[in-house]
Amino acid sequence: MPVSRRRFLSGILTSGAAVMVGPSLLASKVQAGEASGRWKITGSHWGAFRARVYGGKVVEIKPFEQDRYPTDMLNGIRGLIYSPSRIRYPMVRYDWYLKRHKSDTTKRGDNRFIRVTWDEALDLFYEELERVQTSYGPWALFAGQSGWRQTGQLHSCGNHMQRAVAMHGNSVKKVGDYSTGAGQTILPYVLGSTEVYAQGTSWSKILEHSKVVILWASDPVKNLQVGWNCETHESYAYLEQLKQKAAAGEIRVISIDPVRSKTQKYLDCEQRYVNPQADLPLMLAIAHTLYKEKLYDEKFLDTYCLGFDRFLPYLLGEAEDKTEKTPEWAASICGVQADEIRALARLMANNRTQLIFGWCIQRQQHGEQPYWMGAVLAAMLGQIGLPGGGISYAHHYSSIGVSSSGASGPGGFPRNVDKFKKPRHESEDFKHYSSTIPVARWVDALLEPGKEIEYNGSKVTYPDIKMLIMSGCNPWHHHQDKNRMKLAFQKLETVIAVDFTWTASCRFSDIVLPACTQFERNDIDLYGSYSGKGVIAMQKLVDPLFQSKTDFEIFTALCRRFGRDKEYSRKKNEMEWLEELYEACRESNQPKFPMPPFRTFWREGYVEFGAGKPWVRHADFREDPEINSLGTPSGFIEIFSRKIDRYGYSDCQGHPVWLEKSERSHGGPGSDKFPLWMQSCHPDQRLHSQLCDSEEYRATYTVQGREPVYISPQDAKAREIEDGDLVRVYNERGQLLAGARVSDDYPEGVIRIQEGAWYGPVDETIGALDTYGDPNTLTQDIGTSRLAQAVSANTCLVEIEKYSGQATAVTAFGGPEETA
Ligand SMILES: Nc1nc2c(c(=O)[nH]1)N[C@H]1C(S)=C(S)[C@@H](COP(=O)(O)OP(=O)(O)OC[C@H]3O[C@@H](n4cnc5c(=O)[nH]c(N)nc54)[C@H](O)[C@@H]3O)O[C@H]1N2
Ligand SMILES: Nc1nc2c(c(=O)[nH]1)N[C@H]1C(S)=C(S)[C@@H](COP(=O)(O)OP(=O)(O)OC[C@H]3O[C@@H](n4cnc5c(=O)[nH]c(N)nc54)[C@H](O)[C@@H]3O)O[C@H]1N2
Ligand SMILES: [Mo]
């Protein structure tokens, strides 16, 4: 029996495998000469591009001509396809293979896998589904995780997994997401929609009308590099104009951020430093100034809002806490001087001001509050619904703010069981458990099944999950507090992962199935998630590598095991599906947006719908708040929410309030012991964990082969750390190795490790040192509040020291190897 005994040696293997796959391809780029091979077109989160394929390999990539601002991350694509971390064949954790669901789960993550055939792997998968549905019930199965599956409407892998599992039986579902969990829960109460996923005021309107643009915890230049559908990068044209207008003194742009962001540096605009997690005091003090200096729009509050009178006593110190939210009060918490706060308030009130918020700020404890208070500020300024005024919560995301063409994009592979069909196991009996849980609380559920929690006005009872299936997501990157997660995983009987690369999620699984990448299948996608600029063909570049298969094939084969494969695929193959999805899209766009027949489209690779009309968010509401009422309970902007007030939550009350965090730097709780705030922002050169396994590309930013940790010169000096040093970052939850990058973009007390760095513990034990630098080794796993129960990753304090121990090899990459 071929057993992988190559336990934590991937540091060594990685270079070995790189010799096998990487450089030989690079060589072929050189040898192939300029013009050999065939150019194909495809789309991705990173944008559309053309790829030259020669000798069955992708040898060159160039951005799509329409993309005027391509991302540097395209340089990582070939390394993603030909990564030494690719999963080559189906594999099963050795101990699980021997003992099945009675395996020693403390050994999960020990990197001992054996290779099995596809048939055997899928039989095991199916047997486990059967066992869990018959010996427990739908409450014992969780297949609800979702994530940044690669693009393409047909092969959208989460849908494939969901549909196949749903055809077999029911299971626990999730609500919310990691991106905007707090924001998307609070804002419907306040502004009547999630806002975060809604189209925003067009950039052209902002450029034309705004005199002040406030980027509040928003880094669009970094974050617009990727999009949910194939990204167009159209927003960058507007950012370029914003830069020009800022330089010409026509628009004053201010970035309110503890860190000098990529955007701030690109725009060369002002930075307003604020202490991390202390935006609420700053906002309250701005509101206080607006009120005291009569700079607020009373008429707007009367006509469009409810509950300012309930909020006012809190602002003025007449509420229970007896604290007036003066700039002087705020200054000591937020680190912005009182006169500067007043100046900021005056500037906002005396000019057409567009507030633009990012999402990081709501990925912290009480993350609901800054979003609610942002809306209150915007309401007091009275510019909501005016061009270039009001508030936006998403101009850093997927080219929101580029007008929508109005055309419809292609539909996708169905996620659910077909109408009038039932799953093989029909039971909908979840015992006394909830069938849906807030997504960021699933590890809590593993640890405390049966526990009742409050969530958004209701109660949730954690189910007793025994089996977990992951596809198109990487929970061993995206979830907080790795050591706690390790403990929780010991409770699972069976874990199944479908991926194309050996993520930590795969390593902590029992059955690992190799999917192929998006570049190894044919698909179509909308070009421009919100702009709907066109439809792009995703032509298969190369055949699936090793034994990998499309998710479509994998789950069709799984369904065959219970006689539902034909129903699953609707007896259509890949190209038949694509033609159908495209033709349905073409039909629905007639006659306004003419599209050629499928064959022509596929050959040409792209069809364009053209640009949409500029638009102003909430303009209709402003025009007539009765007819165009908001989706809030009252139809108005709710500064005070009766509904939330009735929930009686101390951590999310009837109006926005300042609540101290469980961990906060700059004199806040816990900072005496762990003085540094760690922000785990979204990576500049990755999409979460995607591309981290792209060897040569990773080497462009790593420090001594580790993930960089950005640190201020002051903090580095105080710890005798120099740029390029190997450091240990730690707190009571965990420890990791990283490479120091000393940068004056960071103020004292603030460090950054970008999320998505692959987890590579020295071994499977709890507390083990992470050898590469996954920030979620250190983050806190608590809900934002009882309202949203969302992720609070950015409420996290750490300490850092120069690493004096032996430089342990990086174990994160390469995956287990078969030794036989
Ligand atoms: N500390 C901290 N943690 C965070 C965040 C943070 O800011 N700080 N951000 C959070 C946010 S906003 C998000 S959105 C999440 C992101 O979390 P995820 O979406 O889980 O992260 P990805 O790395 O994109 O994981 C996608 C996985 O799907 C796999 N995959 C891609 N395409 C396919 C496919 O076609 N088939 C199959 N089978 N697999 C595929 C990829 O290889 C990869 O392993 O992380 C969250 N976690
Ligand atoms: N390149 C790239 N782009 C991406 C992604 C990616 O992985 N890579 N992921 C995409 C996804 S899924 C998402 S959810 C979005 C995430 O979008 P966001 O969550 O908005 O992005 P972040 O980069 O985490 O943080 C943005 C800024 O917030 C600041 N910030 C953090 N905490 C505070 C605070 O307490 N106060 C203030 N004032 N500022 C603060 C940070 O310093 C940073 O400059 O990005 C999307 N875009
Ligand atoms: Mo996200």
Side-chain angles (χ1 to χ4, degrees), residues 160-472:
H160 285 277
M161 186 261 273
Q162 295 289 348
R163 178 168 162 90
V165 170
M167 286 173 73
H168 182 269
N170 297 308
S171 60
V172 175
K173 300 275 180 294
K174 62 100 187 182
V175 54
D177 59 39
Y178 283 75
S179 308
T180 65
Q184 65 177 260
T185 309
I186 186 71
L187 289 177
Y189 290 96
V190 180
L191 291 168
S193 91
T194 71
E195 296 294 306
V196 290
Y197 297 134
Q199 179 59 289
T201 295
S202 305
W203 277 112
S204 58
K205 293 279 181 194
I206 296 174
L207 289 163
E208 192 185 338
H209 299 277
S210 302
K211 287 283 165 279
V212 175
V213 170
I214 307 278
L215 294 169
W216 207 311
S218 175
D219 194 356
V221 171
K222 171 168 70 65
N223 289 342
L224 288 166
Q225 292 178 88
V226 304
W228 178 246
N229 292 100
C230 182
E231 182 50 46
T232 60
H233 302 122
E234 292 160 280
S235 297
Y236 287 91
Y238 299 106
L239 288 166
E240 203 173 336
Q241 292 177 47
L242 185 61
K243 182 184 170 77
Q244 286 158 6
K245 287 195 176 253
E250 291 166 38
I251 299 181
R252 193 155 163 200
V253 186
I254 302 174
S255 164
I256 303 183
D257 200 307
V259 169
R260 275 208 286 198
S261 68
K262 192 171 182 182
T263 306
Q264 187 265 330
K265 289 195 280 184
Y266 168 79
L267 294 174
D268 195 18
C269 69
E270 292 165 55
Q271 183 207 3
R272 177 63 272 151
Y273 167 85
V274 58
N275 279 341
Q277 304 189 87
D279 298 82
L280 240 288
L282 173 58
M283 290 171 164
L284 287 166
I286 293 173
H288 186 272
T289 305
L290 294 177
Y291 185 78
K292 284 287 175 182
E293 301 190 2
K294 298 207 169 19
L295 294 169
Y296 70 109
D297 189 334
E298 210 171 339
K299 195 160 159 249
F300 187 89
L301 292 177
D302 284 347
T303 319
Y304 300 99
C305 308
L306 273 188
F308 186 65
D309 55 324
R310 300 287 304 265
F311 169 69
L312 201 52
Y314 173 75
L315 193 66
L316 300 179
E318 292 154 11
E320 238 171 83
D321 68 340
K322 296 274 178 268
T323 309
E324 196 173 353
K325 308 303 176 304
T326 61
E328 284 71 20
W329 164 79
S332 64
I333 310 171
C334 71
V336 185
Q337 285 174 19
D339 53 344
E340 287 177 15
I341 298 177
R342 289 199 174 88
L344 198 54
R346 290 172 199 141
L347 180 78
M348 288 180 184
N350 294 330
N351 291 284
R352 183 63 59 82
T353 299
Q354 178 73 51
L355 299 172
I356 296 180
F357 277 71
W359 294 348
C360 193
I361 197 177
Q362 49 91 62
R363 241 176 270 117
Q364 58 173 241
Q365 195 183 20
H366 315 129
E368 297 87 355
Q369 302 304 316
Y371 271 28
W372 197 349
M373 192 56 211
V376 174
L377 275 186
M380 290 179 78
L381 293 170
Q383 300 178 14
I384 292 173
L386 290 179
I391 186 159
S392 152
Y393 293 92
H395 272 75
H396 67 290
Y397 181 66
S398 292
S399 284
I400 276 179
V402 176
S403 339
S404 309
S405 67
S408 15
F413 189 78
R415 170 172 276 256
N416 301 317
V417 177
D418 291 345
K419 238 191 194 155
F420 309 121
K421 296 273 168 71
K422 288 210 167 351
R424 170 183 168 86
H425 294 274
E426 292 183 34
S427 170
E428 288 173 16
D429 182 7
F430 283 79
K431 296 213 297 192
H432 56 289
Y433 301 126
S434 298
S435 58
T436 303
I437 55 174
V439 68
R441 303 270 54 85
W442 65 284
V443 171
D444 288 1
L446 293 179
L447 287 167
E448 292 185 87
K451 183 183 171 184
E452 190 184 82
I453 61 153
E454 289 185 276
Y455 164 67
N456 201 14
S458 62
K459 305 236 189 264
V460 169
T461 305
Y462 288 144
D464 192 5
I465 300 164
K466 311 278 186 194
M467 176 172 173
L468 174 71
I469 308 170
M470 302 174 277
S471 177

Side-chain angles (χ1 to χ4, degrees), residues 147-148 150 472 474 478 498-499 521 551 680 682 689-690 776:
W148 279 69
Q150 291 190 323
N474 183 4
H478 75 219
V498 190
D499 207 312
R521 59 198 188 201
D551 296 271
S680 43
H682 286 233
S689 72
Q690 298 186 56
N776 280 323

Side-chain angles (χ1 to χ4, degrees), residues 12-46:
I12 296 162
L13 172 92
T14 297
S15 45
V19 174
M20 229 171 60
V21 202
S24 60
L25 274 165
L26 292 180
S28 72
K29 179 185 175 184
V30 182
Q31 285 157 14
E34 291 317 303
S36 329
R38 238 185 98 198
W39 285 98
K40 298 190 177 187
I41 189 167
T42 189
S44 71
H45 289 303
W46 302 282

Side-chain angles (χ1 to χ4, degrees), residues 96-122:
W96 192 94
Y97 190 75
L98 300 179
K99 304 186 207 123
R100 301 283 180 96
H101 61 279
K102 301 210 167 84
S103 77
D104 178 358
T105 57
T106 64
K107 293 285 166 212
R108 206 176 263 125
D110 73 355
N111 233 10
R112 298 180 64 192
F113 283 86
I114 76 158
R115 176 178 170 176
V116 296
T117 63
W118 264 111
D119 270 340
E120 194 176 4
L122 289 168

Side-chain angles (χ1 to χ4, degrees), residues 748-763:
E748 200 169 350
V750 174
I751 68 161
R752 176 183 294 188
I753 305 181
Q754 300 180 118
E755 56 107 354
W758 278 32
Y759 182 55
V762 285
D763 59 38

